[in-house]
Amino acid sequence: MHDKELIKELQRKALLIRKYVIDSVYRAGSGHPGGSLSIADILSCLYFHEMRHDPKNPRWPDRDRLVLSKGHAAPALYAALAMSGYFPVEELKNLRKTGHFLQGHPCMLKVPGVDMSTGSLGQGLSVGIGMAIAGKLDEKDYRVFVILGDGEMDEGQVWEAAASASHHSLDNLIAILDRNGLQIDGHTEEILNLEPMQWRWRAFGWDVIEIDGHNIEEILDALHEADKNDKPTLIMAYTIKGKGVSFMEGSLSFHGKPPSDEQYLKAMSELNQAEEELNG
Amino acid sequence: MVSAKITDKMRNLRDGYSSALIKLGYENENIVVLDADLALSTKTKRFGTIFPDRFFDCGISEANMMGMAAGLATCGKIAFASSFAVFATGRCYDQIRQSIAYPQLNVKIVATHAGISVGGDGASHQMLEDMALMRALPNMRVIAPADATEVEDVIPKIASEPGPFYVRMGRADAPVIFVRHNKFKIGKAKLLRRGSDVTIISTGTMTAEALKAYDLLKKEGIEARVIHMPTVKPIDKKAVIKAARETGLIITCEEHSVIGGLGGAVSRAMSEEPVPMRRIGVNDVFGESGDAMELVKKYGLSADNIAKNAKDMLKKKKE
């Protein structure tokens, strides 16, 4: 059992991430709200509870690392980083704008707190392996988190990496699969069947924990349990694309499309209402 | 001028690579080496035998290897990633682009078995576009050493210089042309012969052929300038322009496609002050199986073809 206040606080933070996602993508006029909203609860648990990091020292060698392999969810990552204090939250308004540093996809050279540049799908887990091996070589106890999309499971490199991580017994590597079931062209199972997904990972030598990726308690429990395993762990987080905004939930069209003026107001009012309900 | 001559001693560039890696391994514990199931051929295995904890044979998965190298580099490691040139660049171009060049990570891609002289394996393994691919990437620097001695100068230099590099070597043994070690200067041409009738600019092991071409031309009273250009990117623009001004004729030589490699870099460098130029390289075709030296001759990558082109250019100039 987790502290009720903690859970409430992480839910609040997740809602705030969602509001920043909607606001920044709306202002940018482009971006990926659906897959950003689906990982808001996971990012909240990681950045505001689970991860060891220091926003004042983004390159701290002992910090836990996070690789957002599904780099198009950058708006959610940027929100979590800004809320953590890596840069002012006002900067979120300048997402994707010429001359500003918040690139459409994460760029480690420009954005403090971004541990790896991503955007081309399928590459993040390999990078996470390199980071995890470096941790072992240097006898450091940091952990490496990699957030994967289920669409990018189509990429062959993910499976090269899956084999490699278990081969090297990387118990300091935790992958979180955002299993929202949608990719640009349709349902993941219709485009390229991925099931039985958890058994694929188990067959590659991973421990798999299945959770509801919007349930803070389940996320915290899974991260805690992953810590105790001696194999790399995949947390299979079943999520809803567009979670938190009624007309974006389960919607294909909001994979890479910003809300219109009207939709923006509706989305913000829904999230504000959720916030009020949470605060009781 | 840098002292260089064709010696009787043949050495494989890969031996230079492995000896340099091992030396570095003893000096710096942040050196890590990755390979993709070609560790015996690239000779990185020798490093792996001595430093097993810092050597990672990734299996036949070049894309994953490049990502791992990138991840290691984010944590302060100096990662050398090796495979055959065809796999180390073409197979994982996007991984190099996205995970190494864009974030400017400290990964040194050192490829072997580049060029037509791979021989028997044929076109599938004869990489002729690697320099073009790597040159096109921002932040990437491209080096093709001439012999094993130069490889031993290049490897510690790129290890000490942050950011990504691409180094290419062939498979075959090559004559030692640099008897002594020199401190390697990235982006600096090496003037090997001072002539003023025509300039031969070469890279990689083609420089040995350029030196032989110099001798052939000298017998006919032609004084060629020979410039070895180990760094194809960033190219030594000053040396190119100076040679163009002083000799008026340029020939580039590389065991690579005439598109996008040394020839491309040199013509770009002198585009504001152009002089007649010829590119000796593989002429936009795939290779084929055969004996290495026979292929080199067949595809016009030998000293006699360089000399022939030089004479032809001089003749046309006089007309």
Side-chain angles (χ1 to χ4, degrees), chain A residues 15 96 152 245 249:
Chain A
L15 266 173
R96 291 181 169 232
E152 71 177 325
V245 176
E249 288 192 2

Side-chain angles (χ1 to χ4, degrees), chain B residues 50-109:
Chain B
I50 299 172
F51 307 105
D53 295 346
R54 290 191 266 148
F55 175 73
F56 305 94
D57 196 326
C58 303
I60 310 166
S61 58
E62 295 78 11
N64 186 49
M65 172 173 76
M66 291 304 174
M68 282 172 67
L72 284 156
T74 66
C75 299
K77 302 298 169 193
I78 303 166
F80 283 81
S82 287
S83 181
F84 290 177
V86 67
F87 310 127
T89 60
R91 179 84 195 196
C92 47
Y93 177 77
D94 190 53
Q95 284 74 19
I96 297 171
R97 180 183 190 275
Q98 311 281 357
S99 293
I100 294 172
Y102 177 42
Q104 221 174 341
L105 289 170
N106 210 3
V107 177
K108 323 297 176 184
I109 301 163

Side-chain angles (χ1 to χ4, degrees), chain A residues 65 103 105-109 115-117 120 123 126-127 129-131 133-134 137-138 142 157 160-161 164 168, chain B residues 30 32 53-54 56 60-64 67-68 70-72 74-75 77 94-95 98-99 102-105:
Chain A
R65 270 78 172 163
Q103 302 298 297
H105 292 81
C107 172
M108 67 185 290
L109 296 181
D115 289 321
M116 181 62 197
S117 304
S120 180
Q123 301 193 16
S126 302
V127 175
I129 290 170
M131 293 172 169
I133 288 175
L137 285 175
D138 293 340
Y142 64 74
Q157 187 184 349
E160 293 180 11
S164 176
H168 290 288
Chain B
N30 279 325
V32 296
D53 295 346
R54 290 191 266 148
F56 305 94
I60 310 166
S61 58
E62 295 78 11
N64 186 49
M68 282 172 67
L72 284 156
T74 66
C75 299
K77 302 298 169 193
D94 190 53
Q95 284 74 19
Q98 311 281 357
S99 293
Y102 177 42
Q104 221 174 341
L105 289 170

Side-chain angles (χ1 to χ4, degrees), chain B residues 213-228:
Chain B
Y214 170 89
D215 292 340
L216 292 173
L217 290 167
K218 195 172 167 77
K219 277 182 200 151
E220 304 193 30
I222 299 165
E223 281 288 340
R225 177 172 303 188
V226 177
I227 293 175
H228 172 51

Side-chain angles (χ1 to χ4, degrees), chain B residues 44 68-69 79 159 170 194 200 231 240 285-287 290 309:
Chain B
T44 58
M68 282 172 67
R194 264 194 216 286
I200 303 167
T231 316
V240 172
V285 291
F286 286 106
N309 273 279

Side-chain angles (χ1 to χ4, degrees), chain B residues 13 17 80-83 85 88-89 108-112 114 130-131 134 140-145 151 154-155 158 165-169:
Chain B
L13 275 70
Y17 177 40
F80 283 81
S82 287
S83 181
T89 60
K108 323 297 176 184
I109 301 163
V110 182
T112 67
D130 52 332
M131 292 202 286
M134 293 299 106
M140 185 62 78
R141 287 155 288 180
V142 178
I143 299 176
V151 171
V154 166
I155 297 300
I158 63 168
F165 280 89
Y166 176 64
V167 179
R168 88 180 311 237
M169 297 178 269

Side-chain angles (χ1 to χ4, degrees), chain B residues 11-13 15-17 146-153 174-176 181:
Chain B
R11 258 189 94 197
N12 200 294
L13 275 70
D15 289 324
Y17 177 40
D147 70 356
T149 314
E150 196 174 39
V151 171
E152 287 165 344
D153 296 337
V176 170
H181 282 286

